[in-house]
Amino acid sequence: MNPASPTRAIVLWCPDWPVFAAAREAGLDLDAPIALTEGGAVHSCSAAARRDGVARGLRLREAQYRSPALTVLPYDPALDVRAFEPVVRRVEDAVPGVQVVRPGTLAMRARGPARYYGGEDAAARALLDTARQLGPEVRVGVADGPFAAEQAARAVRSSPHIGIVAPGGSAEFLAPLPVGLVVDERTRVLLNRLGVRTLGDFAALPADDVRRRFGAAGAFAHDRAAGRESNGVAARTPPPEFEVLAEFEPPLDRIDQLAFAFRVRADEFIDRMRAVRLVCTAIRVELDDERGGRSSRSWLHPRWFTPADVVDRVRWQVQGAGTADSGLASPITALRVIPERVDSTANHEAGLWGQGPDERVHHALTRVQSMLGHEGVVTAAVGGGRMLADRQVLVPWGDRAPERREAPWPGSLPALAPASVFRERHPVALLDAAGATVAIDERGAISSPPETFAVGRTAPARVRAWAGPWPVVERWWDDARARRVHRFQLVDHDGCAWLLVRDAEGWWAEARYD
């Protein structure tokens, strides 16, 4: 093998890793049809779901039509990374110098493991057995370069789930594969129009012509297609281990006992990060009970965690999992705290004169929250929804505000939004010139123009201008939760604008444009 040839690589690949991680977290059977969704479309799905016709990119409603028994879960990329870390560490115990290509895929140089285990096949079998101890389905590929090795792993269809491409044979192995594996969708469409459909066709093109037409990215893809992968394995440096685990024998069945027993480990958890000048801004608390159940939750902090903050989060989570504040549904056998987000202490140093009012507000709210509980102190945030009252979300102090859809909600109110939104809707009397209540028919048209209106028991006021109505229909397919209302805007004689809502019970004031 000449010095310019690609380095032999071993790739360990876990099929459907996002589904495996989500199913294990939720306690679901992997043999059931499961789909993870992102943005209303299928991100990944289990083998059972694919047999029913579910595929990546399919809209959720179509996926549920094809697989009525489909279990739908949201895709969580942070869960992928967190769940894959034990697999990475287990493999690193057997083979040093591991690169995480993505959650579910690992790459490593083949030379060291092959020498240690007595050949590439023996090394692949050892890695296979090591990773399978943690439960996921695993396949291993060996070839010239990480890309070819990954394709070898994906091509395996039968036991022992090991694919080995002989040295120098990567180009021949990759030739029949589709060209879309190395280029983006736009370039794939262009190459297909030119008659280039496989990696072999793409590799046969002159390298200089590919570089002139597609640039550096095209030249990199061309080298991959030809089995001349220039990028080798970039082994990671294992991060320091900050996770703390406390096991209790006998199991603890009281919250105060659990909090007291964990105080020392909470100090160790924070001190270990302080020693390397790090602070933790997000943690994950996992509780294992005597019956085999698990409670897992992420907690955020508006600044950074102290040992007392960690103990408070443990106590709040146990209270949420128990049947009463003084006890638990089942005794706790193990408590694990994992840092999910850390940052340098330099980014959180106080100024020369402190943080002033912000620091005092934070300490005051944190102390009140520690006495009242996690949901005892909340802040206001704007969420998604059609009705303005639905968009008012109260978030516990320190938690992340709910994510909102980027696209506008169908039927939602366009900007500018009213300044005053009523938590409790006020009844409104909207009358026409004859003194009759203005009605809306089935076609969404008003019975007559409004002349006066009154909010609550106030005196009637004349209507200077009005617009609408606009229908808002929600969950028309669900009889129990369906809602149909009409929005209406008007300006009174003082020039104040109002947003009204008409439902089956009558007219209501939803907000006011101050």
Side-chain angles (χ1 to χ4, degrees):
M1 185 180 298
N2 59 66
S5 62
T7 303
R8 295 287 288 177
I10 300 177
V11 168
L12 185 146
W13 174 58
C14 301
D16 302 326
W17 174 258
V19 177
F20 172 82
R24 187 172 63 176
E25 181 77 6
L28 300 177
D29 184 7
L30 281 170
D31 295 330
I34 303 171
L36 306 184
T37 60
E38 184 179 38
V42 175
H43 175 274
S44 51
C45 57
S46 63
R50 286 194 293 270
R51 288 193 293 268
D52 291 341
V54 180
R56 181 183 176 92
L58 203 64
R59 301 302 297 178
L60 176 57
R61 188 170 298 180
E62 177 65 20
Q64 291 174 322
Y65 172 77
R66 296 185 181 186
S67 179
L70 186 68
T71 300
V72 179
L73 298 172
Y75 171 63
D76 183 1
L79 174 61
D80 278 4
V81 176
R82 184 175 65 253
F84 195 55
E85 184 63 24
V87 179
V88 178
R89 292 189 179 274
R90 180 66 63 88
V91 173
E92 283 178 333
D93 291 340
V95 178
V98 172
Q99 175 188 355
V100 180
V101 180
R102 71 185 69 86
T105 306
L106 292 175
M108 63 211 77
R109 297 182 181 89
R111 182 179 179 182
R115 286 184 173 183
Y116 181 81
Y117 290 101
E120 292 178 345
D121 183 72
R125 291 178 183 273
L127 291 173
L128 206 64
D129 295 338
T130 299
R132 281 177 175 172
Q133 294 175 7
L134 297 179
E137 180 185 354
V138 181
R139 298 175 186 175
V140 176
V142 185
D144 296 338
F147 174 72
E150 181 179 349
Q151 302 310 314
R154 291 175 177 269
V156 175
R157 294 291 182 267
S158 59
S159 184
H161 299 114
I162 297 175
I164 299 179
V165 180
S170 293
E172 182 180 356
F173 166 74
L174 295 173
L177 300 181
V179 72
L181 292 175
V182 296
V183 296
D184 57 27
E185 181 62 20
R186 182 178 179 181
T187 306
R188 182 195 67 83
V189 172
L190 175 59
L191 290 174
N192 287 349
R193 289 177 178 174
L194 297 174
V196 179
R197 303 183 181 277
T198 66
L199 295 182
D201 298 336
F202 189 42
L205 299 177
D208 292 340
D209 292 345
V210 171
R211 177 176 290 275
R212 280 194 296 268
R213 178 62 180 84
F214 300 105
F220 176 76
H222 186 262
D223 288 341
R224 275 190 164 186
R228 299 189 302 267
E229 193 168 1
S230 57
N231 288 356
V233 175
R236 76 165 191 168
T237 300
E241 183 62 59
F242 297 124
E243 174 184 327
V244 294
L245 171 66
E247 297 179 324
F248 308 110
E249 182 59 42
L252 301 181
D253 58 357
R254 290 187 58 85
I255 296 176
D256 54 350
Q257 292 176 340
L258 186 68
F260 181 79
F262 190 70
R263 285 187 181 277
V264 175
R265 302 307 305 272
D267 289 332
E268 295 176 0
F269 174 72
I270 298 300
D271 290 343
R272 198 179 299 171
M273 282 184 287
R274 285 176 177 169
V276 292
R277 300 190 61 80
L278 293 176
V279 294
C280 184
T281 59
I283 63 173
R284 186 167 194 85
V285 178
E286 296 181 352
L287 300 168
D288 295 336
D289 62 29
E290 197 174 31
R291 300 178 182 176
R294 168 170 290 189
S295 170
S296 180
R297 174 169 177 174
S298 295
W299 297 90
L300 304 180
H301 198 282
R303 298 182 72 193
W304 64 84
F305 280 97
T306 64
D309 293 331
V310 175
V311 174
D312 281 341
R313 269 57 176 186
V314 171
R315 178 165 51 85
W316 295 340
Q317 183 163 331
V318 174
Q319 287 176 348
T323 57
D325 288 348
S326 59
L328 303 172
S330 180
I332 301 299
T333 60
L335 168 60
R336 185 180 296 102
V337 176
I338 307 166
E340 286 196 330
R341 188 185 304 160
V342 296
D343 197 5
S344 172
T345 55
N347 298 329
H348 297 269
E349 293 288 353
L352 182 61
W353 309 111
Q355 300 294 338
D358 290 344
E359 186 173 359
R360 292 195 295 270
V361 168
H362 163 72
H363 285 299
L365 293 180
T366 301
R367 180 163 180 78
V368 173
Q369 189 181 40
S370 66
M371 294 185 292
L372 300 181
H374 178 233
E375 298 182 355
V377 180
V378 296
T379 56
V382 179
R386 296 176 177 85
M387 310 305 294
L388 295 179
D390 298 337
R391 302 189 63 187
Q392 302 178 60
V393 181
L394 296 179
V395 182
W397 172 251
D399 279 11
R400 183 186 296 111
E403 296 183 1
R404 291 188 293 165
R405 286 179 47 183
E406 295 297 332
W409 286 70
S412 63
L413 192 69
L416 296 167
S420 299
V421 179
F422 306 130
R423 195 67 180 175
E424 299 292 336
R425 299 184 306 175
H426 303 313
V428 169
L430 188 63
L431 308 178
D432 59 15
T437 300
V438 176
I440 300 177
D441 60 22
E442 295 180 354
R443 300 178 64 88
I446 59 174
S447 58
S448 55
E451 289 290 331
T452 62
F453 91 107
V455 179
R457 298 182 179 181
T458 60
R462 295 194 62 83
V463 176
R464 291 176 52 183
W466 57 274
W470 300 282
V472 177
V473 181
E474 292 184 311
R475 297 186 177 273
W476 52 266
W477 63 89
D478 187 349
D479 293 337
R481 303 170 63 188
R483 177 167 61 176
R484 181 182 179 89
V485 300
H486 288 82
R487 279 198 169 107
F488 198 83
Q489 292 175 328
L490 62 82
V491 179
D492 62 18
H493 68 290
D494 292 329
C496 182
W498 297 78
L499 178 65
L500 308 184
V501 173
R502 169 76 180 192
D503 59 15
E505 300 178 1
W507 288 97
W508 306 87
E510 183 181 12
R512 182 177 60 235
Y513 294 87
D514 295 333

